[in-house]
Amino acid sequence: MPYTSDFLIIGTGIAGLSFALKAAEFGTVSVITKKNHTESNTNYAQGGIASVTAPDDAFKFHIEDTLSAGAGLCHPEAVDLVVRNGPQRIGELMAWGAEFTKEKGSDDAATLSLGREGGHSRNRIVHAADLTGREIERALIETVQQTPRIRVLEHHVAIDLITEHHLRDKAQERVPGTHCWGVYALNTKTGKVEKMLASATLLATGGAGHVYQHTTNPAIATGDGIAMAYRAGAAVANLEFMQFHPTTLYHPTARSFLITEAIRGYGGVLKDHNGRPFMIDYHELEDLAPRDVVARAIDREMKKSGHPCVYLDVTAKVAAETREHFPNIYAKCLSLGLDITENHIPVVPAAHYMCGGVVTDLDGCTGIEGLYACGEVTCTGLHGANRLASNSLLEGLVFSHQAVQHASQFIAGRSRSVPPDVPDWNEDGTFDSEEWVLMAHDRSEIQTLMWDYVGIVRSNARLARAQRRVKMIAEEIEAFYKKTVVTPDLIELRNIATVAALIIDSAQMRKESRGLHYTTDFPEKDLALGKQDTVLRN
Ligand code: FAD
Ligand code: SIN
């Protein structure tokens, strides 16, 4: 028997879980996630959530900062929506039990402590020390577990969205989806593919950091949602804008560990291997310049010096305060033999956040009826060419709220019923391949190609080389996929290849440098391109 519910949600990060809690007011909810429920980018968020709560702050400042980071490509209506709804959505998060750090010694014991990150003109980052994401996940999961209408299924990997295409005879020509009724998902405990049907489906699958060799993202971030939506016929946009976080720990065994930007907000200074602060050479905001500027500056310093990293110096601050503000980073570094209150922290950039994704409107609707998307998987227009730090958790909250309002109306309407003739997953003609060895190196090959040729600095020649190679690998993977019993590794590999190819295509279409996309062949912004998103459709 297929699983059937009113709402099906793919992903247990901030977007999926906050949607689930609200959707449960309107119907039954199934949530699937590919590992255990806490494995998400959300769980690893450090810095916090940007929102206007301080008396010296105002919506217009947060809006201006977001637009300025976005380098002319933000959609002002999306920015306005997210910023103005921030305080209310954060209030809900607190009502669900999230506890954020309070200001010490304030008259009002409830006053939130507010951090500062790059590109923000005010202190406005609501946080739970340097473990904000873990606190948010805890609160959301606990509330979900107390909500009887929500069923969470762990270890279910969504493979593909169910659209009209699946109702047609396989021999017929492929049609892009115009309506979505759920997904096929691999239950990794039983090895069986299950048909999961719903009147409204939400993609909340997060980011795509693992398309690159070095990333801050946990293993789940393989771009599955972007690839599934693209295959189903939804538009995807702005995939050239992968954000590289400037500071992850440079260490042989802990390279993907994030050193939060809040450390620079707190007074940390980036220095070269001679101990010279270098951000003054690159931007008037120095260490608090927008992320794209800082990541490029570090890349340049490393190339100039030939040194494998730069350093973040927080030793001038009071040691006890550093330990109190950043207990997680302090403990992690200490466990690796580095006391950050006494030593400079070696850091390098890594792929961090996908600013582009599945195109949605202000209600979280994709172009496919019954398919919604929220969170990092989307391109809502909020981030433009570069996301302002700590705007993404907020985006997930605001758009899941919007999407629930729309989806609840939608399922109450006529389109509610799921067609009876959705076929079961068809494994005919596939076999358990002993040739998996042919694919085993493809994942790291793609990741290395993307890091070397489609990274912080790009060029026509690098992109063309990456395109040729990734295209060939992607075709081989697709051919292998069609004749092989599906496995979690193969599902992810196929998606990584698809998203890598889409990032390269998008980067080639953008013949200018803007925000996170920098190419030596077109080093300037092209004002004529103005506000054009890079949109791709299957
Ligand atoms: P996620 O939280 O990534 O959740 C995705 C979910 O989808 C997971 O449950 C995953 O298992 C599931 N999934 C994926 N594919 C499938 C599939 N095929 N089948 C089934 N399930 C699937 N942003 C901020 O605003 N502030 C910060 O301080 C901050 N710090 C960060 C620190 C780190 C280290 C990282 C990695 C990111 C940080 N970000 C921060 C970014 C932010 O955490 C993410 O953008 C945000 O959490 C994304 O939420 P989400 O709900 O969209 O996706
Ligand atoms: C960080 O804490 O530096 C990450 C914040 C973000 O990615 O928004």
Side-chain angles (χ1 to χ4, degrees):
M1 278 295 286
Y3 288 89
T4 305
S5 44
D6 294 316
F7 303 93
L8 171 67
I9 298 164
I10 312 166
T12 53
I14 192 166
L17 293 177
S18 58
F19 182 100
L21 286 170
K22 292 184 175 180
E25 290 171 30
F26 302 99
T28 54
V29 181
S30 297
V31 190
I32 66 166
T33 184
K34 65 174 162 179
K35 296 244 160 83
N36 62 49
H37 54 57
T38 52
E39 244 347 71
S40 61
N41 276 3
T42 300
N43 202 41
Y44 294 88
Q46 291 185 356
I49 314 184
S51 184
V52 173
T53 57
D56 71 338
D57 202 357
F59 291 141
K60 71 174 182 158
F61 298 135
H62 190 182
I63 289 171
E64 278 167 19
D65 293 346
T66 303
L67 293 172
S68 155
L73 221 61
C74 299
H75 298 192
E77 61 288 2
V79 177
D80 202 71
L81 176 82
V82 170
V83 168
R84 288 183 195 282
N85 281 278
Q88 207 182 339
R89 300 284 84 84
I90 288 180
E92 283 166 358
L93 206 48
M94 291 164 73
W96 286 323
E99 297 212 17
F100 296 118
T101 305
K102 306 281 182 334
E103 203 55 76
K104 258 209 304 216
S106 148
D107 291 344
D108 177 0
T111 304
L112 292 169
S113 159
L114 299 174
R116 170 84 70 99
E117 292 177 2
H120 288 275
S121 60
R122 298 285 189 285
N123 283 23
R124 63 168 75 97
I125 315 296
V126 177
H127 58 279
D130 58 353
L131 286 167
T132 308
R134 194 182 297 179
E135 175 57 14
I136 292 172
E137 274 288 324
R138 182 202 61 74
L140 290 173
I141 287 283
E142 280 180 20
T143 315
V144 161
Q145 284 167 344
Q146 291 156 19
T147 310
R149 265 174 147 180
I150 305 177
R151 180 181 48 167
V152 179
L153 298 160
E154 297 178 314
H155 307 290
H156 279 67
V157 189
I159 306 170
D160 262 322
L161 296 162
I162 297 171
T163 62
E164 279 82 358
H165 167 56
H166 297 96
L167 304 186
R168 294 165 66 102
D169 187 310
K170 279 241 159 93
Q172 290 188 37
E173 198 190 326
R174 189 190 182 295
V175 287
T178 54
H179 195 120
C180 175
W181 291 290
V183 293
Y184 292 110
L186 173 66
N187 178 337
T188 55
K189 293 286 177 200
T190 63
K192 296 273 172 252
V193 175
E194 292 164 10
K195 187 166 68 178
M196 321 208 70
L197 303 175
S199 305
T201 301
L202 176 77
L203 270 181
T205 47
H210 281 270
V211 172
Y212 284 83
Q213 189 179 10
H214 303 295
T215 176
T216 62
N217 293 188
I220 52 96
T222 51
D224 298 1
I226 294 172
M228 283 190 283
Y230 177 75
R231 283 194 293 269
V236 296
N238 291 356
L239 294 171
E240 68 273 35
F241 299 121
M242 168 58 83
Q243 183 171 70
F244 294 85
H245 197 290
T247 56
T248 62
L249 186 64
Y250 177 70
H251 186 276
T253 60
R255 275 210 65 174
S256 62
F257 183 69
L258 183 78
I259 304 294
T260 177
E261 191 158 316
I263 289 209
R264 277 176 282 132
Y266 165 75
V269 178
L270 283 164
K271 296 185 171 173
D272 67 15
H273 63 293
N274 293 317
R276 188 184 73 86
F278 58 81
M279 277 312 298
I280 193 165
D281 301 341
Y282 294 92
H283 200 275
E284 61 194 20
L285 290 173
E286 300 183 20
D287 290 277
L288 285 178
R291 226 169 245 187
D292 56 327
V293 177
V294 183
R296 270 198 300 280
I298 294 176
D299 186 67
R300 175 135 179 73
E301 289 294 317
M302 283 164 52
K303 283 186 178 138
K304 242 170 40 183
S305 67
H307 206 70
C309 62
V310 296
Y311 295 87
L312 185 58
D313 179 7
V314 76
T315 57
K317 304 293 287 187
V318 177
E321 279 184 22
T322 302
R323 283 193 291 270
E324 185 186 332
H325 279 86
F326 306 103
N328 177 41
I329 291 171
Y330 175 76
K332 174 74 181 183
C333 291
L334 200 61
S335 76
L336 298 166
L338 179 77
D339 184 339
I340 65 168
T341 65
E342 291 177 1
N343 301 288
H344 296 182
I345 312 168
V347 289
V348 285
H352 180 62
Y353 183 85
M354 175 43 88
C355 292
V358 182
V359 175
T360 63
D361 65 14
L362 295 183
D363 291 319
C365 299
T366 67
I368 298 177
E369 205 184 29
L371 179 66
Y372 297 80
C374 294
E376 190 169 339
V377 70
T378 60
C379 180
T380 63
L382 172 69
H383 307 306
N386 182 26
R387 175 183 66 113
L388 183 66
S390 286
N391 261 357
S392 44
L393 292 169
L394 185 64
E395 181 189 43
L397 277 179
V398 170
F399 276 93
S400 68
H401 175 83
Q402 297 293 114
V404 169
Q405 310 311 310
H406 194 283
S408 58
Q409 297 280 318
F410 173 72
I411 69 160
R414 276 185 302 139
S415 313
R416 175 177 188 142
S417 56
V418 174
D421 52 346
V422 175
D424 289 336
W425 182 252
N426 185 356
E427 275 191 347
D428 291 353
T430 62
F431 56 92
D432 227 340
S433 178
E434 289 171 4
E435 297 299 341
W436 174 246
V437 66
L438 294 176
M439 299 290 115
H441 300 297
D442 286 355
R443 184 169 169 137
S444 60
E445 200 176 336
I446 295 171
Q447 289 167 329
T448 311
L449 281 169
M450 293 301 286
W451 185 256
D452 289 343
Y453 303 141
V454 199
I456 295 171
V457 176
R458 301 160 181 180
S459 70
N460 283 346
R462 289 180 208 188
L463 292 177
R465 177 174 255 230
Q467 190 183 45
R468 280 194 300 275
R469 293 174 187 207
V470 168
K471 185 167 180 280
M472 188 187 73
I473 300 170
E475 282 169 6
E476 285 177 5
I477 293 168
E478 198 57 33
F480 187 76
Y481 171 84
K482 287 207 170 97
K483 58 180 189 192
T484 312
V485 171
V486 78
T487 66
D489 286 347
L490 184 55
I491 295 168
E492 288 191 349
L493 178 62
R494 181 182 182 222
N495 292 332
I496 284 175
T498 300
V499 176
L502 291 171
I503 293 174
I504 298 168
D505 288 351
S506 308
Q508 286 188 319
M509 283 164 72
R510 186 164 291 284
K511 306 246 179 275
E512 62 162 352
S513 289
R514 184 186 288 269
L516 297 160
H517 174 71
Y518 182 81
T519 162
T520 52
D521 287 296
F522 307 99
E524 303 299 328
K525 212 186 261 181
D526 180 346
L527 295 179
L529 271 177
K531 292 206 182 310
Q532 281 181 30
D533 292 326
T534 315
V535 182
L536 295 172
R537 271 197 188 80
N538 195 1

